[in-house]
Amino acid sequence: QVELVESGGGSVQSGGSLRLSCAASGHTISNSGMGWFRQSPGKEREGVSCLSWSGSGQYYADSVKGRFTASRDNTKNTVYLQMNSLIPEDTAMYYCAASKDPFCSYFPQHDSFGYWGQGTQVTVSS
């Protein structure tokens, strides 16, 4: 059983940056594709990024390409999401998720991710 805990959310002004962290415990995530998703009220959950087990495969939603960068440190069992040039449309609850598939083959289908964190809120004001 993998437990995921996100941190690093907060409130920033448009143009600002935040770095989200997702710490895993209970089991290694070194063999897992790790995704970041977000959801705002009234909207469907959106796949933001996915990182393959080695970090060499990186996938991003078009809406965040060039602004967000995912990374991972398998020695710390932790993944990160660096978010730059934030805009109000990025406001959402952000979740990390672990997939049994190491290669993010099914991203952004969220039902391919079996373990989810509780989320961290990101609010961007204009």
Side-chain angles (χ1 to χ4, degrees), residues 49-63:
S49 74
C50 193
L51 204 56
S52 66
W53 71 276
S54 65
S56 61
Q58 298 187 25
Y59 307 90
Y60 297 94
D62 288 343
S63 58

Side-chain angles (χ1 to χ4, degrees), residues 3-10 17-25 29 34-37 49 51 68-73 76-83 93-98 116-122:
E3 182 179 0
L4 302 173
V5 179
E6 302 95 336
S7 61
S17 298
L18 284 173
R19 188 193 195 205
L20 305 184
S21 298
C22 172
S25 61
I29 57 169
M34 294 299 297
W36 286 96
F37 293 77
S49 74
L51 204 56
F68 290 12
T69 303
S71 61
R72 65 191 300 162
D73 186 341
K76 296 182 178 180
N77 229 23
T78 301
V79 295
Y80 307 95
L81 185 67
Q82 177 67 42
M83 306 186 296
M93 185 72 80
Y94 283 72
Y95 302 89
C96 72
W116 293 80
Q118 83 292 346
T120 186
Q121 178 67 38
V122 171

